[in-house]
Structures are given as C-alpha cells and as structure tokens.
Amino acid sequence: MKGLQNIRNEILRLKGERNAIILAHNYQRGEVQDIADVTGDSLELARAAAKIDCNMIVFCGVDFMAETAAVLSPEKTVLLPAPDACCPMAEMITADQLQLVKSRHPDAAVVCYVNTTADVKAESDICCTSANAVAVVNALEEDEIIFVPDRNLARYAARFTKKTIFPWEGFCLVHDRYTPEQVSMARRVHPGAVVLVHPECRPDVIDCADYVASTSGILRLVRTLPNKEFIIGTEIGILHRLAKESPEKICYPLSQEAVCVNMKKTDLVMIRDALAAMEPRITVPVEIASRARTAIERMLAL
Ligand code: 13P
Ligand code: SF4
C-alpha cells in the first residue's frame, strides 16, 4: 500500500514538473481512473485533449485515442504509457482498403469511427464516436455513407436515418461476443434490472436492451434513471466509475468476461515511468495529421 502511495506521489510530482494532464478512458483500471484529471468516453477525451492548456498529455487508453490527441494538439507532447495498447477493431481497415471502397461508391461520404488509425481518418470526411454517430450521419448532405470500421455501430446508426449506409465488416472483439441469450439469462437472474448496452454490440443484442449508449452515456443513465438495478453491456472497467459515482445503484456486468486486454495494459508504474522518461511518444506525420484533423474537427464542431 505504501509502495502504491509512493508511486502516486511521484506521478503527481512529475505531472506538476512537466505541466502534464492525465486522460483516462472509462475502461481503464480503477487505480488509473483515480489518478486521472479527466476520465471519459472517446468524445469527452478528444474534447479535453483539444481544450486543456498543458504541455503534455499522458493518454491512458489505446493507441487511436492518443493519436487523436496528437492530431488535435500537435504542440503538445502526447505519451502512451503502454505503447502496445491497441484497438484490434481499428486495425481491421487500412487506408488502402478505404480508398478501394471509396472508388466503388464515388458519391458517398465517409464517416470513420474514432476507433481508426490516423491514416484512415485522413481518408474520411468526418469522424464520429459512439456518442454522436447518429447525429454525424444525419448532419451530412450526402444520401450515401461509407461507415468504417464497426459494422455494429454502422447498423445501429442505420436505424435512425433514411440514408443508405455501406458498413465495413469490422467489429469489437469484446462487444461482438455478447449474445441475446446472455441478456435473457441476466434478466432472469436480476428481474426488473434495466439493460444498458454499448452500440458496438450486435443488432440482436441491441434489440434486447432497454437503452443503447456510449460509455459516458451509460454512466449518465445510471445516475439519472430512477431505477436501482442495472445490467451493464460494456467492458467491465466501467463498473469502477459506476460504483464511485452512483454508489446507491447496483450494477451487474452482462458478462464478467467482457474485458478489453488492451485497455488493461496501463498501470501506475507505467504512467510514472512515462512521465519520468517523457516517452513512449505518439506522433503523427504532418501531412496525415492535417487531413485527419479536418475529419475530427468537423465532428467536434457539430
Ligand atoms: P466510448 O466512446 O463509448 O467510450 O467507446 C470507446 C470504445 O472503444 C468502446 O469499445
Ligand atoms: Fe477496441 Fe473494443 Fe477495446 Fe474498445 S473495447 S478499445 S473497440 S477492442
């Protein structure tokens, strides 16, 4: 315990020396969330990265999130303490593959989920997150939309628009594994509990849910709904923040196995070491960054 407190103190000291802020995604380990300046969903963290005045950002999440921060704030040093923390879904499409799809649908706009590499963002018209995918799709002039890489988020957005959506067949290894049978079983075990799921879940799971929301949307729903019990269909790291912010509510994970191994790679020692060494740094080549920034800023402006 004393060792942990020492590491926390070192992080706070180094943070001050470097004029750094720590951003942590809602799926991070509890101790990482507890030391962060901002904990949030992808949209909130992108906004914080763009807005907060500092010299350095320590990104506790996965690589595309740190890349997004680097694209939005090229003057800041962006550190990713766990350099191999990646999002397998973001790697399911390359810029070359996207160019090929674009050539097949020349009249379509390209919406890329923020879970993409900067190269793919640079080939896209606008970015979106799980919190604003529907609004982004409906804000575009075009009637045809190429939506990459998450097939489930694409099909979720398609429920709320008249536009034709061409989904890429990528998926999240964690959310795509939930089944309607798990939802029925959880409802049997916890009758009356409200089922909240992330839009990265499959359509048949979404059909069984009471609400569909981003990670911060789920936090908000638990806080504001009058109900007491909830079944949570997203990565279990969110349970830490739910317990902290809504201690009077009871939240059950839809599956204990919903763990994103990449989100769990960052720990306090890595954060301390990254701040001390000022690496591993995330940088994006200027030309890619400038085109990717257009897509991200267009989303932030909505
Ligand atoms: P949120 O933007 O909802 O936090 O989701 C990010 C993510 O990677 C979900 O798997
Ligand atoms: Fe990527 Fe899924 Fe992990 Fe989110 S939970 S970072 S989409 S693999």
Side-chain angles (χ1 to χ4, degrees), residues 56-59 66 77-81 274-275 278-282:
M56 188 176 282
I57 294 173
V58 182
F59 217 113
T77 300
V78 178
L79 305 178
L80 183 66
L275 274 164
M278 295 199 275
E279 60 183 39
R281 288 184 195 206
I282 298 295

Side-chain angles (χ1 to χ4, degrees), residues 10-252:
E10 281 182 75
I11 291 174
L12 296 177
R13 176 181 58 79
L14 285 161
K15 213 164 70 90
E17 278 174 26
R18 308 276 190 240
N19 185 23
I21 57 153
I22 300 178
L23 303 183
H25 187 265
N26 290 326
Y27 296 159
Q28 288 290 294
R29 292 167 185 269
E31 65 269 25
V32 171
Q33 296 190 28
D34 290 345
I35 204 151
D37 297 285
V38 181
T39 304
D41 67 5
S42 310
L43 184 61
E44 290 167 336
L45 296 177
R47 287 196 194 281
K51 200 177 68 191
I52 297 181
D53 186 25
C54 63
N55 293 339
M56 188 176 282
I57 294 173
V58 182
F59 217 113
C60 305
V62 290
D63 52 5
F64 75 81
M65 298 179 173
E67 253 189 12
T68 302
V71 163
L72 287 170
S73 301
E75 72 293 349
K76 293 174 191 157
T77 300
V78 178
L79 305 178
L80 183 66
D84 61 341
C86 62
C87 170
M89 172 160 65
E91 288 168 13
M92 289 180 187
I93 185 162
T94 64
D96 287 348
Q97 288 171 317
L98 178 52
Q99 276 175 356
L100 196 62
V101 185
K102 281 165 69 171
S103 69
R104 293 196 188 124
H105 301 287
D107 297 329
V110 179
V111 176
C112 69
Y113 191 23
V114 69
N115 299 40
T116 42
T117 62
D119 292 16
V120 167
K121 290 187 179 75
E123 287 295 328
S124 303
D125 295 297
I126 187 164
C127 191
C128 77
T129 75
S130 63
N132 62 15
V134 173
V136 166
V137 163
N138 283 320
L140 296 170
E141 272 174 23
E142 291 83 348
D143 292 325
E144 296 187 337
I145 310 283
I146 297 166
F147 194 108
V148 299
D150 187 4
R151 63 184 180 200
N152 292 333
L153 184 61
R155 292 188 173 111
Y156 178 67
R159 295 177 184 223
F160 302 95
T161 185
K162 292 196 174 67
K163 296 173 194 264
T164 305
I165 300 209
F166 304 111
W168 185 256
E169 289 295 323
F171 57 91
C172 163
L173 303 171
V174 178
H175 292 86
D176 198 67
R177 284 177 62 190
Y178 289 120
T179 62
E181 291 70 32
Q182 284 176 317
V183 179
S184 324
M185 173 69 91
R187 282 198 196 272
R188 268 202 299 280
V189 178
H190 307 294
V194 180
V195 177
L196 309 177
V197 305
H198 195 276
E200 288 176 11
C201 295
R202 288 173 176 236
D204 54 1
V205 170
I206 284 177
D207 286 340
C208 306
D210 297 308
Y211 296 89
V212 181
S214 76
T215 55
S216 287
I218 289 175
L219 285 154
R220 219 168 8 255
L221 284 163
V222 170
R223 236 179 7 247
T224 54
L225 287 171
N227 311 64
K228 189 156 167 57
E229 293 185 60
F230 298 86
I231 294 159
I232 307 295
T234 195
E235 210 271 353
I236 58 171
I238 197 172
L239 295 170
H240 177 78
R241 216 179 134 187
L242 282 165
K244 231 167 109 175
E245 289 182 7
S246 301
E248 73 290 2
K249 307 282 173 103
I250 306 169
C251 295
Y252 310 102

